[in-house]
Amino acid sequence: MQAAAATAYAVPSPARSGGDCRRRRRDELGYFLGRSSSSRSLQWQRRRCRLPLPVLALDAAQAFDYEARASSLMDQSARLKIAVVGFGNFGQFLARTFVKQGHTVLAHSRTDHSAIARDIGCSDFFVDPHDLCESHPDVVLFCTSILSLRSVIASLPLHRLRRSTLVADVLSVKEFPRQALLRAMPPDFDILCTHPMFGPESGRAGWAGLPFVFERVRVADSPPDRRLRCDRFLDIFRQEGCRMVEMSCAEHDRCAAETQFVTHTVGRMLAKLELESRPINTKGYETLLQLVDNTCKDSFDLYNGLFMYNKNSTELLDRMEVAFDSLRKELFGRLHVILRDQLFGDHHPDDP
């Protein structure tokens, strides 16, 4: 009993003054050694036994521990689990940056790219879409071709995903995937349409200054973490220095018909001429050869998709044809004047 009591009284109450503590420690020591016989000291000891003992822990968390833990939790919450659906060249290109920024990347494709996924640092590669959806990604990112989007969406067991999943796409046209996602996705899913207007070639040296177009088609405001998750996904491209351009899908397609479809059309038309590098290349000619090389590296399915799934492309192709005919008529019209002057001089037989 005395040993237990000694343990209980080993720590003085912090509510007492320093003099009281020293005096009581002397009384305690005398009491336990049998040297104190004062009734006052014995009464104090009995009262002291009924007081709660202060707990001292050397491993208690300090203020900086809480800050460090909070920072760690924030870092973890900022990381997303992103499912890249369509793990071709462009999907692999984006996945490298996702992994570099610390996000968890799950890859899915009909073709087995598991070895490439491991080299990039993806957490897993799935051939079976059921296994992918059962992993419950935060974001499902469609990196498919334009022509295959509908069939890929139909192949996914959407009921195995969480009801609050964010779905996004990176297709080169925007009205078509917007409508396809709105029709196919459950009403609780968030939808974000994006277009990184660069690729593995143009973005090889970095994404700084390159345009990234997006529209928050359907992102719930409540609970607030839904909008925060969407912003965290967009932050991936902000952190890489992209020029963030928020615009509607319809406006994107109107602009892209000129900035993208014309570029691909001119490049592929020049490719039909089978142009080659010459010893007397000009800078302009080398630019055209580079254009042919860049556009023809993309699949014809991409070019076909830019035409079929952007209603503005048909009108633009007609305008290009009219412009070419107008230019040709202007050239032949000038040629006709020159030939007439050479044949008849300044006086034409029909002139008076």
Side-chain angles (χ1 to χ4, degrees):
M1 288 292 291
Q2 288 184 354
T7 304
Y9 297 135
V11 181
S13 173
R16 307 295 182 180
S17 66
D20 290 340
C21 291
R22 286 191 296 272
R23 186 163 49 254
R24 288 180 180 125
R25 277 199 296 271
R26 287 196 299 269
D27 291 341
E28 291 168 10
L29 182 61
Y31 173 77
F32 293 120
L33 294 179
R35 297 174 185 172
S36 176
S37 58
S38 66
S39 59
R40 180 180 178 183
S41 177
L42 290 174
Q43 291 174 0
W44 181 88
Q45 296 294 349
R46 295 190 185 99
R47 289 197 305 269
R48 184 66 176 85
C49 290
R50 294 194 295 268
L51 294 176
L53 296 176
V55 178
L56 298 181
L58 295 178
D59 61 346
Q62 303 299 313
F64 63 86
D65 289 331
Y66 290 114
E67 293 176 1
R69 292 175 187 177
S71 177
S72 176
L73 289 174
M74 288 178 63
D75 291 341
Q76 292 177 7
S77 64
R79 296 171 187 165
L80 297 171
K81 183 189 289 186
I82 305 172
V84 177
V85 178
F87 204 61
N89 288 335
F90 196 72
Q92 296 166 18
F93 169 66
L94 294 178
R96 287 186 175 89
T97 297
F98 297 164
V99 171
K100 182 187 70 174
Q101 292 192 12
H103 300 284
T104 300
V105 178
L106 311 175
H108 167 64
S109 184
R110 291 174 297 180
T111 305
D112 186 359
H113 292 307
S114 56
I116 298 175
R118 284 193 301 269
D119 291 341
I120 292 175
C122 298
S123 297
D124 212 336
F125 179 86
F126 299 95
V127 175
D128 191 331
H130 290 263
D131 294 336
L132 175 75
C133 293
E134 287 175 355
S135 298
H136 293 163
D138 300 309
V139 182
V140 175
L141 180 64
F142 290 97
C143 299
T144 67
S145 68
I146 300 172
L147 303 180
S148 65
L149 176 64
R150 283 177 176 163
S151 62
V152 172
I153 292 176
S155 70
L156 291 181
L158 301 176
H159 62 282
R160 296 187 182 274
L161 294 167
R162 284 192 300 231
R163 287 178 296 175
S164 61
T165 302
L166 170 65
V167 294
D169 81 285
V170 290
L171 272 62
S172 298
V173 295
K174 293 271 62 76
E175 273 287 277
F176 166 66
R178 181 183 186 276
Q179 295 172 4
L181 293 175
L182 283 173
R183 283 196 297 266
M185 295 300 146
D188 290 332
F189 280 28
D190 291 335
I191 298 175
L192 174 69
C193 286
T194 78
H195 182 198
M197 302 198 69
F198 51 88
E201 292 298 320
S202 56
R204 180 187 303 173
W207 302 357
L210 300 177
F212 180 86
V213 181
F214 66 96
E215 180 187 0
R216 296 181 180 90
V217 177
R218 187 177 69 197
V219 180
D221 291 323
S222 179
D225 60 339
R226 299 276 289 270
R227 182 164 288 272
L228 182 61
R229 178 185 56 189
C230 179
D231 290 338
R232 283 171 181 160
F233 179 76
L234 294 174
D235 282 343
I236 295 174
F237 300 89
R238 288 194 185 95
Q239 290 179 24
E240 295 300 315
C242 290
R243 179 163 54 86
M244 308 298 288
V245 182
E246 185 170 8
M247 66 167 53
S248 69
C249 292
E251 180 64 19
H252 167 276
D253 283 359
R254 282 193 293 270
C255 296
E258 298 181 358
T259 63
Q260 195 171 24
F261 181 70
V262 167
T263 303
H264 280 261
T265 299
V266 172
R268 290 190 174 273
M269 183 178 64
L270 293 175
K272 298 292 185 182
L273 299 178
E274 299 181 351
L275 301 177
E276 299 179 358
S277 181
R278 303 297 182 183
I280 56 173
N281 285 358
T282 63
K283 290 294 184 181
Y285 185 70
E286 289 180 351
T287 301
L288 292 179
L289 293 179
Q290 187 64 43
L291 175 63
V292 172
D293 185 58
N294 287 341
T295 53
C296 291
K297 280 182 178 178
D298 293 322
S299 67
F300 190 82
D301 281 348
L302 170 62
Y303 178 58
N304 191 27
L306 293 175
F307 173 71
M308 290 183 60
Y309 293 97
N310 187 346
K311 62 184 180 181
N312 303 281
S313 297
T314 303
E315 178 189 354
L316 190 58
L317 196 60
D318 290 339
R319 287 168 53 196
M320 291 180 68
E321 185 176 0
V322 170
F324 183 77
D325 287 341
S326 175
L327 185 61
R328 183 172 57 181
K329 289 177 181 178
E330 186 176 353
L331 288 174
F332 279 98
R334 289 175 179 269
L335 178 61
H336 177 73
V337 172
I338 293 174
L339 289 176
R340 188 179 69 173
D341 289 343
Q342 289 178 350
L343 289 173
F344 303 106
D346 295 334
H347 179 72
H348 193 275
D350 296 334
D351 292 339

